[in-house]
Amino acid sequence: MPAIVGVGYSGFNANTPDLSWKEIMYEAAVRAYEDAGIDPRKDVDSFITCAEDFYEGFAIFDEFVPDQLGAVLKPTCTVCADFLYGLATAYMQIESGLAEIAVVEAHSKASDIKTFGEVIRHAMDPIWLKGVTNAHPYYLAALEMSYYMNKYCITQEAIAEVVVKNKRNALLNDSAPYGAKLTVEYALKSPFVFYPMRKIEIAERADGAIVFVVASDEMARKITDSPVWIKGVGWWSETSNYDIMSFEARYAYKSAKMAYRMAGIENPSKEIDIAEIDDRFAFKEIQHIVALQLAGKYDVCDLMSEGYFARNGSLPVNVSGGNLGVGNLLEATGGQKALEIVIQLRGEAGRRQVDCEIGVAQAWRYIPTASGAVAVFGV
Amino acid sequence: MAVGRKKISCPPYAEGTALSERDISERRVTIFEDHPNLVYSWTAGQAMSRFLNELKNGKLIATKCEKCGRIIFPPRIYCELCYKPIDGWVYVKDTGTVQTFSISYIDPDARPLEKPVIVAVIAVDGASPNMGIMHILGEVEPEKVYIGMRVKAVWKPENEREGAITDIKYWKPWRDEND
Amino acid sequence: MEVEIVKGLKFHKKQDVAIVGAGMTTFKRRLLETGKELSYFAVKQALEEAGLDIKDIEMVVMGSAPDAFDGTALKGEYLLDGAGGSDRPYLRVFVGGGTGVFAPIAGYWHVASGLADVCLVVCEEKMSCCHPHPQSAFKYIWDPILDRPLKPNLIWIFALEMRRYMHVNNIRHEDIALVSVKNKANALDHPCAQVAEKITVEDVLNSEPMALPVRRLDVSPPSDGAAALIMVAPHIARQLTDEPVWVTGVGWALDTTHWTNRDLYFPRYVAEAAKMAYRMAHITDPRKQIDVAEPYDPFDYKELHHMEGLGLAKKGEAPILTREGVTARDGDLPVCPSGGLLGVGNPIAATMGVKACEIYWQLAYRAGKRQVAKEVTTGVCQAWGDLMQVGTVMVMSNKR
Ligand SMILES: [Zn+2]
């Protein structure tokens, strides 16, 4: 079973005017290699970066990857998806014998994008969807939220609880720029920007880079005393047609099922100790908790207000602060999730440490998609 | 295993409906047009910020790596081969050697240019071998250009420089004074 | 923790990987169909050849080059349903122009890792969406600080590389033009071909100058198209066919972004990728052990350049093999028997149809009129992309 033997990151910040995206990649990579005790020029067999052209502003972003990762003239590729897909790719390459040590990188330089709404709109079907309205494409998430709330009686209060919990968790994370101490009442006063979605429920964008060093079972045992095993990976796509998406995060349910099967997890809500899941819109945390089978869809609201998912609760979710606290990191979102799980499993989370042995990280490919990935980690 | 010539011929058929340029320009087929407004402003970062500021002074700057001994141009803050931070900044000359060149008759949208452009990779004097940049050649007829030709940068007047690679107008043929 | 790491990949995989079906659409400058529809056509044909249903497909790999062509961000997500990715694990990989051979490499690790037993690989490109010209999309491949202000055209880099290759190896344009003549003629036998024709060396040398030394007929055209390939585990292959083609080696490498810091005369990125693939496939003398090759030929000099990178010819000697007819379809080492990109067309990633798919068809003896004259056991295909930077190589064999 492949394991994480080194992690490094740079960020996370609301913006990073002093460093280019190449330089934040370099910073994260240097830290990861130091953490793993390896030399990228000699020891790494494969480098994988996770990037989308239009998030970067380049036509072929892959060109600009190798130098700052130490990957010049080595097997290097781009996966057009979230970091967790990159992790799955590393897993497959290692299990195929193509690599003993693989490096996965993802970053966000969201602050370089001046017309973020237009970039998302550009991902919508050009014929069906793009021309429908000039509203900011966040409305797609609001439509889904409306459907989901109605169908499963999700309350406004429960969604406000997500915001309060995650922003508060972020106060204990030095790398989270959007921490705050709020009340549910305050959150419920935030204006609707896309009814029924409030402004405060939308994660602000952030910059940062994450690099993982992944090694084969044998190699991991050689180079570290504290490997974090990748027990399972899963990824899944529903459809590209917005009109027929489940609006219930079936992509998360299916990718979790794949990862759980690989990890031998039969009862996720009992066996999983900690979860970091995509909360780029606050309601998504609730939807993803259900999809990952961490709680029943009719219990989730009560559990949320009882503090079941709080840092000191029975099943802590988004202890790092989640996207609401750390920020929307675009394709690096899953990277930040996986990073938190690895740090927690290693017992290096300091003031926000929770007691855990098995953790799950999940990310969605953001609007307008119904695709996502899951990874299960253990020590 | 049964190998040998087969009756099967692949691909067995070719699907797809070819269109002519006029089908598009005269809208004989249904077309959806979009002009996305995608704007980015990249922070140049440490290496390129210094490089661009030095261009304003009419100077080319490189970085050096003491481990492999390279003078790296264009500069970066890390040596990608040794994978370590660079050990300092050094000025290089604004003269160099043509490594390869092309005479371009088309613009970025593949439209014909009125006057062809001569483009070249120029290895800059003072940097390690092969450390060059792409730029334009001027004050020379296309047929006079050759690989190995010595060239020198022609700068914009100081008050017109803006910290861009185009602060060098072009590179012109040049004879070393010691020749 | 200081540990001396002793490297040396043994390529231990969970299972072997066979190819059992392929498909492609016609390649044309402009097609009516959307990228989704083209992907669908290619997948349908591949499923037909393999005798499989879409329900049998466990995972899908998508290969497609810049989003800027199709004019859609997150292009992989957009193409998903046409490519058969609905309701299953679906992953898009991307190494610029090298994607056409890289996507099947990704298909390989999906199966070799044991995560999938049946993996569908789809490559699509719809370049005609981009206006005023597909080359306009390439404006955005350049470094925004060092290159873009000079208003470069894509062809520039190839012209610069071609000139360097000719200069260092002392090669004449006439020798390079022979490749264009050969491939465009080979393409006459390909039902999907866009620019198949009988031309002469003089036609190439007298064609319109684009960025000298590159002239119009040195270049493959922009195209729309799609291709698909089905890769399976041995126990599935046994049920489907008596003659699967096995993937015996894969390799890829990406050179530095700073292309103006490299000597362009030799493609090190291809040589490194080939080294990996050959080591895996136990190939020590590629010129002798490889029977048929499909190196990437978006420009005529590129076929020669890549043959040298693949070790099929010594440095500077690929033009001699071409002149002597060794690389003709009835020669001792047929190269680009499909007609290549120069003859069939160049829908960037979808060129998988004339690279990986063609080698599969050749080794399965299903290439019809394009079947090479000699007996074949082992073939190699290769693609290349980014800023003259990435090499992707796959070796296949009809013997396990
Ligand atoms: Zn160095």
Side-chain angles (χ1 to χ4, degrees), chain C residues 182-201:
Chain C
K182 165 177 74 76
N183 291 5
K184 283 178 187 293
N186 281 350
L188 288 166
D189 295 324
H190 203 299
C192 302
Q194 175 177 350
V195 282
E197 53 184 336
K198 271 251 169 297
I199 56 163
T200 63
V201 167

Side-chain angles (χ1 to χ4, degrees), chain C residues 92-166:
Chain C
R92 174 180 168 211
V93 293
F94 185 23
V95 287
T99 308
V101 172
F102 192 68
I105 292 176
Y108 171 85
W109 73 56
H110 275 64
V111 177
S113 64
L115 258 63
D117 284 341
V118 185
C119 182
L120 169 67
V121 181
V122 190
C123 283
E124 177 272 0
E125 214 72 63
K126 184 138 169 103
M127 299 173 77
S128 65
C129 301
C130 183
H131 280 263
H133 191 277
Q135 281 177 16
S136 307
F138 288 110
K139 278 191 269 193
Y140 305 101
I141 72 168
W142 301 90
D143 186 287
I145 292 168
L146 292 168
D147 299 333
R148 281 191 214 182
L150 301 171
K151 301 197 176 66
N153 177 287
L154 172 74
I155 310 278
W156 286 14
I157 39 174
F158 308 120
L160 294 167
E161 190 178 67
M162 177 169 169
R163 172 94 64 192
R164 188 79 195 158
Y165 173 65
M166 292 166 72

Side-chain angles (χ1 to χ4, degrees), chain B residues 64-70 72 78-84 87:
Chain B
K64 66 175 175 194
C65 170
E66 271 159 16
K67 191 166 171 206
C68 62
R70 290 192 310 162
I72 301 168
Y78 43 81
C79 170
E80 77 279 8
L81 299 182
C82 304
Y83 207 67
K84 61 176 268 306
D87 298 300

Side-chain angles (χ1 to χ4, degrees), chain C residues 46-334:
Chain C
L47 289 170
E48 281 165 11
E49 191 190 341
L52 289 170
D53 187 85
I54 191 72
K55 284 201 239 21
D56 302 318
I57 302 296
E58 291 176 3
M59 297 190 185
V60 178
V61 173
M62 165 55 70
S64 197
D67 293 20
F69 287 143
D70 294 58
T72 310
L74 315 187
K75 178 159 97 171
E77 298 292 328
Y78 163 72
L79 294 168
L80 192 154
D81 59 341
S86 296
D87 261 325
R88 44 178 66 83
Y90 171 90
L91 176 70
R92 174 180 168 211
V93 293
F94 185 23
V95 287
T99 308
V101 172
F102 192 68
I105 292 176
Y108 171 85
W109 73 56
H110 275 64
V111 177
S113 64
L115 258 63
D117 284 341
V118 185
C119 182
L120 169 67
V121 181
V122 190
C123 283
E124 177 272 0
E125 214 72 63
K126 184 138 169 103
M127 299 173 77
S128 65
C129 301
C130 183
H131 280 263
H133 191 277
Q135 281 177 16
S136 307
F138 288 110
K139 278 191 269 193
Y140 305 101
I141 72 168
W142 301 90
D143 186 287
I145 292 168
L146 292 168
D147 299 333
R148 281 191 214 182
L150 301 171
K151 301 197 176 66
N153 177 287
L154 172 74
I155 310 278
W156 286 14
I157 39 174
F158 308 120
L160 294 167
E161 190 178 67
M162 177 169 169
R163 172 94 64 192
R164 188 79 195 158
Y165 173 65
M166 292 166 72
H167 173 81
V168 173
N169 292 317
N170 200 13
I171 295 166
R172 297 172 313 155
H173 201 161
E174 290 86 314
D175 290 329
I176 291 175
L178 279 169
V179 173
S180 202
V181 174
K182 165 177 74 76
N183 291 5
K184 283 178 187 293
N186 281 350
L188 288 166
D189 295 324
H190 203 299
C192 302
Q194 175 177 350
V195 282
E197 53 184 336
K198 271 251 169 297
I199 56 163
T200 63
V201 167
E202 286 66 41
D203 292 336
V204 179
L205 298 184
N206 295 327
S207 61
E208 173 199 344
M210 294 181 80
L212 289 179
V214 174
R215 290 176 180 271
R216 175 74 62 191
L217 289 175
D218 290 311
V219 191
S220 60
S223 319
D224 292 352
L229 203 59
I230 296 172
M231 303 175 110
V232 301
H235 65 280
I236 307 282
R238 241 189 324 271
Q239 296 168 37
L240 294 171
T241 175
D242 293 333
E243 53 227 18
V245 170
W246 302 92
V247 180
T248 52
V250 299
W252 67 103
L254 184 59
D255 207 343
T256 170
T257 311
H258 295 275
W259 62 276
T260 57
N261 289 172
R262 296 186 234 133
D263 195 330
L264 301 174
Y265 87 101
F266 182 72
R268 288 193 306 170
Y269 39 89
V270 173
E272 286 297 315
K275 201 163 89 185
M276 176 176 173
Y278 290 161
R279 210 153 61 78
M280 193 171 156
H282 307 294
I283 287 176
T284 46
D285 184 351
R287 173 68 186 85
K288 286 219 176 68
Q289 287 169 271
I290 285 170
D291 304 312
V292 55
E294 277 283 349
Y296 206 58
D297 62 326
F299 293 75
D300 44 11
Y301 81 95
K302 264 297 180 186
E303 173 172 312
L304 306 168
H305 204 228
H306 291 153
M307 281 172 65
E308 294 170 17
L310 287 166
L312 298 174
K314 293 203 183 82
K315 284 180 187 174
E317 289 184 2
I320 301 171
L321 296 184
T322 310
R323 199 166 54 221
E324 290 172 349
V326 175
T327 61
R329 200 183 275 155
D330 57 359
D332 185 48
L333 174 63

Side-chain angles (χ1 to χ4, degrees), chain A residues 26 30 33 38-42 66-72 74, chain B residues 64-72 76-87 131:
Chain A
Y26 176 70
V30 169
Y33 302 150
I38 58 158
D39 174 354
R41 302 296 298 146
K42 286 211 290 280
D67 298 55
Q68 60 271 28
L69 294 181
V72 170
K74 297 276 201 125
Chain B
K64 66 175 175 194
C65 170
E66 271 159 16
K67 191 166 171 206
C68 62
R70 290 192 310 162
I71 306 291
I72 301 168
R76 34 254 195 205
I77 59 165
Y78 43 81
C79 170
E80 77 279 8
L81 299 182
C82 304
Y83 207 67
K84 61 176 268 306
I86 49 102
D87 298 300
M131 286 281 179

